[in-house]
Amino acid sequence: MLLGPAFVAAIAYVDPGNVAANVSAGAQYGFLLVWVILVANVMAGLVQYLSAKLGLVTGRTLPESVADRTRAPTRIAYWVQAELVAMATDLAEVVGGAIALYLLFDLPLLVGGAITGGVSLVLLSVQNRRGQRVFERVISGLLLVIAIGFLTSLFVAPPSASDVAGGLVPRFDGAESILLATAMLGATVMPHAVYLHSGLARDRHGRPDAGAPRRRLLRITRYDVALAMLVAGAVNLAMLLVAATNLQGIDDTDSIEGAYSAVQGALGHTVALFFAIGLLASGLASTSVGAYAGAMIMQGLLHRRYPLLLRRLVTLVPALVILGIGVDPSRALVLSQVVLSFGIPFALIPLVRMTGDRTLMGDDVNHRLTTACGWLVAAVISVLNVVLIYLTVTG
């Protein structure tokens, strides 16, 4: 079975940050931002394939490839921004797991965050000791739980087809809708997943010989990415559609706890339970994958291996501090996705440049159209971020 690496990376696209951003978008704006999820999913599919392609063709991860082409000061500065992005990632995932444990068992958020971080350490130990394939199976199983948890409510109360179709027309409705669109984009095209996929593909398949063996693996990788993004896209779309159908106009649905209560009131206790279980699986799986990516980034850019516990604590502690000082968790989730969106160009620009470099990629260099699409993705995200800064400063 050659499929699998993309499903691990896809966990990044259904993390608690997605839940917060998508539910907030659906509850506040109905079906207005459906198109953002579809566009972001297509962008993410292209980016994830390019990342896996880089790992397979060069035998180097994206962080290693960046380090190979930069001097020490630049490399360290690059690592600092990547580490800040990793902290924002962990914030979303740990806070999401903590909220889920609060909803299910009424645990304090700080305790739930510590449990989420502890479970992620166990899952990382599985990867260290049992290998990548076992880790892939565990994460893929959690992805199935996530899908069931969030798709259940969609089948119980399906949205109107005409309303969904209306949401496919690209448009905004004020600065807050742009903020949410940026958060949704940051939650879908995840920087750490871009870095990670190059290593996942390389570690799973090695560096295949040029020619037919490599072309076969690249073709299989395209299928792997397409299937994984189809699952992730369906889950993200379900989150927004459920909120747009059942939560629009209801007070206090701008938080996950409020959304859970509203889902419980509208669709019943069983559907709300599935929602909370899906959120918990999302937090546990995504924080493990995020920490795995953080380790790969740290090792690739700093050229040093660090103990598993230290690597985990670097990004876990800020998330626990946020929970401990009482910051509104759902708002922290949405804002963390905006931070992630600012980190995307730092991952995309070198990725597109390197996969479009014939000297590096040989016969497997990007087609000109592929490279053009990659640059378009980077440009769209960068422009959206500039607009967001302007609206935030002037608003």
Side-chain angles (χ1 to χ4, degrees):
M1 183 66 175
L2 297 177
L3 302 180
F7 284 84
V8 175
I11 285 292
Y13 302 115
V14 290
D15 77 347
N18 291 81
V19 180
N22 294 332
V23 169
S24 293
Q28 292 183 45
Y29 294 101
F31 300 90
L32 178 74
L33 299 178
V34 165
W35 65 273
V36 175
I37 289 181
L38 299 182
V39 170
N41 213 55
V42 172
M43 289 181 174
L46 172 63
V47 169
Q48 292 307 131
Y49 171 67
L50 292 182
S51 178
K53 180 180 179 179
L54 179 70
L56 290 172
V57 173
T58 67
R60 304 285 283 170
T61 68
L62 178 56
E64 288 171 342
S65 297
V66 170
D68 292 342
R69 289 159 177 77
T70 53
R71 296 181 179 179
T74 303
R75 189 171 68 245
I76 292 172
Y78 193 94
W79 169 74
V80 170
Q81 68 81 27
E83 202 64 43
L84 291 174
V85 168
M87 289 178 184
T89 301
D90 225 13
L91 171 63
E93 294 154 355
V94 171
V95 168
I99 293 174
L101 289 170
Y102 168 75
L103 295 176
L104 289 168
F105 306 110
D106 203 26
L107 290 178
L109 290 177
L110 184 59
V111 174
I115 292 173
T116 302
V119 172
S120 71
L121 189 60
V122 172
L123 293 177
L124 287 171
S125 298
V126 169
Q127 189 275 331
N128 272 4
R129 297 178 182 178
R130 301 292 299 275
Q132 185 173 323
R133 293 201 178 196
V134 174
F135 183 69
E136 284 177 7
R137 294 189 187 110
V138 173
I139 297 300
S140 296
L142 288 171
L143 178 59
L144 179 62
V145 174
I146 295 166
I148 293 172
F150 290 112
L151 288 171
T152 299
S153 50
L154 185 63
F155 288 109
V156 171
S160 163
S162 60
D163 288 337
V164 177
L168 297 176
V169 179
R171 62 194 190 280
F172 295 108
D173 183 16
E176 182 67 17
S177 68
I178 297 177
L179 175 65
L180 278 173
T182 304
M184 292 162 68
L185 193 62
T188 304
V189 186
M190 298 282 276
H192 76 282
V194 179
Y195 295 118
L196 176 65
H197 205 159
S198 56
L200 290 171
R202 189 272 312 270
D203 294 345
R204 176 67 179 275
H205 303 302
R207 185 181 182 184
D209 295 333
R214 186 183 292 170
R215 286 196 299 271
R216 175 174 176 268
L217 265 182
L218 289 174
R219 184 173 64 254
I220 290 169
T221 297
R222 286 194 289 270
Y223 294 139
D224 191 25
V225 171
L227 289 172
M229 295 312 302
L230 181 64
V231 174
V235 173
N236 279 319
L237 188 58
M239 295 175 194
L240 188 145
L241 295 182
V242 168
T245 304
N246 301 287
L247 308 185
Q248 192 176 12
I250 299 177
D251 293 335
D252 300 323
T253 54
D254 55 346
S255 69
I256 290 181
E257 302 97 311
Y260 170 82
S261 298
V263 167
Q264 188 173 37
L267 302 177
H269 177 73
T270 300
V271 173
L273 179 62
F274 275 102
F275 179 94
I277 291 173
L279 178 64
L280 178 60
S282 169
L284 295 177
S286 58
T287 193
S288 304
V289 171
Y292 186 9
M296 186 175 293
I297 293 167
M298 185 180 290
Q299 181 180 327
L301 290 171
L302 300 185
H303 299 311
R304 291 184 60 184
R305 289 182 176 271
Y306 293 88
L308 177 64
L309 182 59
L310 175 62
R311 298 195 315 253
R312 189 69 198 92
L313 290 176
V314 165
T315 55
L316 176 61
V317 169
L320 295 180
V321 169
I322 292 294
L323 288 174
I325 63 178
V327 174
D328 175 46
S330 293
R331 188 63 176 173
L333 280 175
V334 173
L335 292 178
S336 73
Q337 303 310 297
V338 177
V339 173
L340 292 180
S341 189
F342 286 108
I344 293 170
F346 290 97
L348 288 189
I349 291 173
L351 176 65
V352 176
R353 286 186 61 184
M354 284 187 279
T355 53
D357 183 352
R358 182 172 291 278
T359 303
L360 180 65
M361 302 294 288
D363 291 339
D364 295 304
V365 67
N366 289 344
H367 188 280
R368 289 183 180 180
L369 180 59
T370 303
T371 298
C373 290
W375 285 124
L376 179 62
V377 169
V380 167
I381 294 171
S382 299
V383 168
L384 190 57
N385 288 333
V386 171
V387 172
L388 177 63
I389 293 173
Y390 173 77
L391 290 173
T392 301
V393 171
T394 58

